[in-house]
């Protein structure tokens, strides 16, 4: 892999995933010779950052953020910025300014092939990713220099409990230790106190929710009816908010249930599966029931609280989503998928283009060979094995990330010129 050391590189970290991942990554970057700074916007950012000497608190208002950011770039001679997600206001402003200044932009996101990988790209992710301008033919050509088998996921890998745990800690500090950051405003509409309550409630109710989920799943699996699966997302997630035309998840429910009632055979059922991190800020179960009653198909519509997707995918006829990454699991199984937003996997070879009502009647299957090319391309480029939240996942992730970040070219160009890291040789410990 084409690399350089960290000498003369100055990395400025902005907001990251909940937990210590950014701090761990910064330690390894310093070992490479780089200088690392962190801007913190609240007490939750500060508590997970180990090196307080290189911590820059931002106490001002969002209106003054851009001028402060540009001053930091100049004062610290910043060469690179690092952030998690590129659409929240503080990050969107920073990305634009950094791009204009010729500064490298490192963007982390949850994995497009989650939960076994995370996403690392330059300049933008999701709807702002370079993948949005690529074709399967382009990917196939780039893979000519990578003729080794695609890496497989581990037999067991999960950090959902740690994800919720770190989220609760983060919001606790924002609630009770944020006195100095009185101007902080979350990029989400919900008050921080309510966010903390929802994280804590979900952590406490995990056993009860698991029972409810199991019962609902078994009712679908053993119901003896053909069914179609709708993959719900978090309404406040940036992929849903910034890369789709829907204002709320209720809008999505309305469109799907209405089209299903008009187009699906009368003996078919519709199953809505909630996102694993759904916290109840919107009562989706109640909304699903309300809209189903409106169209007279209450007895054919089901709701399942989160959980693993595999059991429901085994026998579904089709799947529909806005732009959930769970669609990757659907495509891997060769199941027809309908996408209603902007998604990095929205390729004409394997994402259905039929009208929604016809999709429920006789959906065409995806081109499995084309999808395997696409999936392999992601695993050779922007998908890095590991996770943000568990200690084992962080170790696996940091092991590769520093070399990728120090490389003068992004993961896509690295594959093209034959210098991408040999990811297929890495075997996740299970």
């Amino acid at each position: 892999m084409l690399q350089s050391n960290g000498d003369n590189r100055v990395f400025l970290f902005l907001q990251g995933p909940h937990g210590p991942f950014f701090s761990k990554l910064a330690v390894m970057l310093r070992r490479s010779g780089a200088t690392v700074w962190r801007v913190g916007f609240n007490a939750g950012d500060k508590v997970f950052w180990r090196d307080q000497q290189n911590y820059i608190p931002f106490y001002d208002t969002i209106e003054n953020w851009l001028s402060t950011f540009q001053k930091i770039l100049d004062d610290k001679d910043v060469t690179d910025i690092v952030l998690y997600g590129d659409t929240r206001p503080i990050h969107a402003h920073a990305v634009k300014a950094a791009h204009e200044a010729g500064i490298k932009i490192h963007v982390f996101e949850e994995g497009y092939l989650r939960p076994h990988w995370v996403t690392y790209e330059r300049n933008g992710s999701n709807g702002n990713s370079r993948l949005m301008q690529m074709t399967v033919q382009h990917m196939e050509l780039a893979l000519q220099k990578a003729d080794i088998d695609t890496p497989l996921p581990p037999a067991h890998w999960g950090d959902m409990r740690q994800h919720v745990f770190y989220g609760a800690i983060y919001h606790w500090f924002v609630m009770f230790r944020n006195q100095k950051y009185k101007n902080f405003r979350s990029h989400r509409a919900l008050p921080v106190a309510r966010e903390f309550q929802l994280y804590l409630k979900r952590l406490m109710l995990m056993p009860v929710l698991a029972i409810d989920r199991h019962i609902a799943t078994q009712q679908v699996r053993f119901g003896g009816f053909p069914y179609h699966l709708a993959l719900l997302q978090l309404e406040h997630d940036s992929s849903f908010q910034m890369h789709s035309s829907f204002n709320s998840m209720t809008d999505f429910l309305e469109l799907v249930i209405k089209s299903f009632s008009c187009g699906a055979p009368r003996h078919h059922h519709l199953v809505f599966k909630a996102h694993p991190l759904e916290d109840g800020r919107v009562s989706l179960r109640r909304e699903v029931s309300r809209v189903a009653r409106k169209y007279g198909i209450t007895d054919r519509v089901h709701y399942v609280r989160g959980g693993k997707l595999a059991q429901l995918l085994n026998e579904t006829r089709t799947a529909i989503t806005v732009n959930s990454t769970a669609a990757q699991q659907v495509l891997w199984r060769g199941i027809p998928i309908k996408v209603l937003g902007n998604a990095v996997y929205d390729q004409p070879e394997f994402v259905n283009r039929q009208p929604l009502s016809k999709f429920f009647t006789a959906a065409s299957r995806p081109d499995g060979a084309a999808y395997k090319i696409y999936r392999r391309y992601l695993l050779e480029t922007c998908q890095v094995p590991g996770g943000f939240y568990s200690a084992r996942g962080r170790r696996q992730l940091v092991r590769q990330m520093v070399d990728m970040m120090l490389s003068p070219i992004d993961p896509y160009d690295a594959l093209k010129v034959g210098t991408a890291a040999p990811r297929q040789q890495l075997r996740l410990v299970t």
Side-chain angles (χ1 to χ4, degrees):
M1 181 180 181
L2 187 63
Q3 311 175 30
S4 63
N5 59 33
D7 294 346
N8 302 316
R9 299 283 288 273
V10 180
F11 289 82
L12 179 67
F13 282 60
L14 303 183
Q15 288 197 296
H18 299 151
F21 169 67
F22 263 16
S23 185
K24 299 287 186 183
L25 180 59
V27 170
M28 193 63 70
L29 279 169
R30 291 191 194 96
R31 290 176 183 172
S32 79
T35 300
V36 181
W37 295 89
R38 169 72 189 269
V39 178
F41 299 85
N42 58 57
D45 291 341
K46 182 178 181 179
V47 71
F48 290 118
W49 187 253
R50 180 184 299 180
D51 182 11
Q52 293 297 306
Q53 289 186 338
N54 283 37
Y55 177 81
I56 305 170
F58 178 73
Y59 299 131
D60 212 333
T61 62
I62 185 67
E63 290 76 17
N64 294 323
W65 160 237
L66 185 56
S67 60
T68 300
F69 175 70
Q70 291 173 326
K71 186 175 187 303
I72 295 172
L73 296 183
D74 294 338
D75 290 349
K76 306 299 184 186
D77 294 322
V78 172
T79 61
D80 303 70
I81 65 168
V82 187
L83 43 89
Y84 172 69
D86 61 336
T87 58
R88 65 185 69 178
I90 57 174
H91 286 174
H93 293 318
V95 166
K96 185 175 184 296
H99 182 74
E100 291 172 353
I103 290 171
K104 285 187 172 65
I105 303 162
H106 306 268
V107 182
F108 286 91
E109 251 299 359
E110 301 293 342
Y112 296 146
L113 300 176
R114 70 183 73 172
H116 310 301
W117 292 273
V118 305
T119 298
Y120 166 73
E121 296 182 272
R122 301 277 176 90
N123 299 319
S125 63
N126 292 310
N128 297 322
S129 167
R130 279 186 65 185
L131 290 170
M132 299 297 292
Q133 284 74 50
M134 296 184 194
T135 65
V136 173
Q137 290 73 29
H138 171 277
M139 298 175 187
E140 186 174 24
L141 184 64
L143 285 168
Q144 289 180 352
K145 295 185 179 182
D147 58 355
I148 304 177
D149 291 341
T150 298
L152 296 173
H156 174 72
W157 188 278
D159 53 10
M160 183 62 65
R161 190 176 295 275
Q162 294 97 319
H163 191 162
V164 176
F165 173 73
Y166 283 129
I169 290 179
Y170 173 89
H171 286 97
W172 186 91
F173 273 90
V174 175
M175 280 180 61
F176 299 111
R177 293 290 185 271
N178 221 44
Q179 292 85 355
K180 292 183 178 180
Y181 301 88
K182 60 183 180 180
N183 292 310
F184 172 71
R185 298 293 181 270
S186 174
H187 63 286
R188 295 174 178 170
L190 210 63
V192 173
R194 181 60 178 154
E195 289 251 17
F196 171 72
Q197 291 172 356
L198 291 170
Y199 268 103
L200 187 61
K201 179 181 178 181
R202 180 165 182 80
L203 198 61
M204 300 295 291
L205 290 179
M206 274 187 166
V208 176
L209 297 177
I211 294 172
D212 179 86
R213 179 170 61 246
H214 175 76
I215 293 172
T217 301
Q218 297 311 306
Q219 287 175 343
V220 173
R221 291 184 64 205
F222 297 104
F225 45 75
Y227 63 88
H228 305 261
L229 187 62
L231 306 173
L232 298 178
Q233 296 168 237
L234 299 177
E235 187 174 279
H236 56 273
D237 185 78
S238 62
S239 292
F240 181 85
Q241 292 287 335
M242 305 300 295
H243 303 302
S244 83
S245 60
F246 296 102
N247 294 319
S248 68
M249 193 56 67
T250 299
D251 294 341
F252 173 72
L253 300 178
E254 179 83 25
L255 176 61
V256 173
I257 293 176
K258 178 181 179 180
S259 299
F260 180 82
S261 68
C262 297
R266 293 184 180 180
H267 61 291
H268 284 208
H269 287 225
L270 178 62
V271 179
F272 287 93
K273 181 195 173 294
H275 189 281
L277 288 174
E278 180 56 55
D279 54 19
R281 66 185 63 192
V282 177
S283 182
L284 290 177
R285 170 174 279 177
R286 184 170 61 239
E287 283 298 287
V288 167
S289 297
R290 180 187 65 79
V291 180
R293 284 195 306 272
K294 177 179 176 180
Y295 292 100
I297 55 171
T298 301
D299 58 336
R300 296 167 55 202
V301 178
H302 309 262
Y303 177 82
V304 178
R305 292 179 185 269
K308 294 183 178 180
L309 186 57
Q311 289 184 327
L312 291 172
L313 281 181
N314 288 338
E315 297 182 280
T316 188
R317 294 294 182 89
T318 69
I320 183 170
T321 184
V322 176
N323 50 21
S324 172
T325 56
Q328 302 274 5
Q329 297 185 49
V330 177
L331 288 165
W332 180 244
R333 288 168 169 80
I335 299 168
I337 181 78
K338 185 71 177 174
V339 176
L340 300 179
N342 299 323
V344 293
Y345 52 80
D346 189 5
Q347 297 285 348
E349 290 86 352
F350 44 78
V351 170
N352 195 281
R353 294 293 193 260
Q354 295 170 275
L356 192 51
S357 57
K358 291 184 179 179
F359 174 75
F360 288 122
T361 304
S364 57
R365 293 186 61 182
D367 181 337
Y371 178 68
K372 287 178 181 177
I373 292 170
Y374 169 85
R375 186 176 186 274
R376 185 173 166 220
Y377 182 78
L378 262 61
L379 290 171
E380 290 283 2
T381 55
C382 64
Q383 299 303 284
V384 188
F388 296 128
Y389 306 105
S390 70
R392 184 172 61 182
R394 288 191 296 272
R395 285 197 302 270
Q396 184 69 62
L397 190 53
V398 171
R399 184 171 288 128
Q400 284 199 90
M401 278 320 314
V402 171
D403 286 345
M404 294 180 71
M405 295 172 71
L406 292 177
S407 172
I409 56 178
D410 76 2
Y412 305 118
D413 290 334
L415 179 64
K416 187 189 306 182
V417 302
T419 60
R423 224 109 10 114
Q424 65 283 345
Q425 296 178 10
L426 296 176
R427 292 291 179 252
L428 301 185
V429 179
T430 61

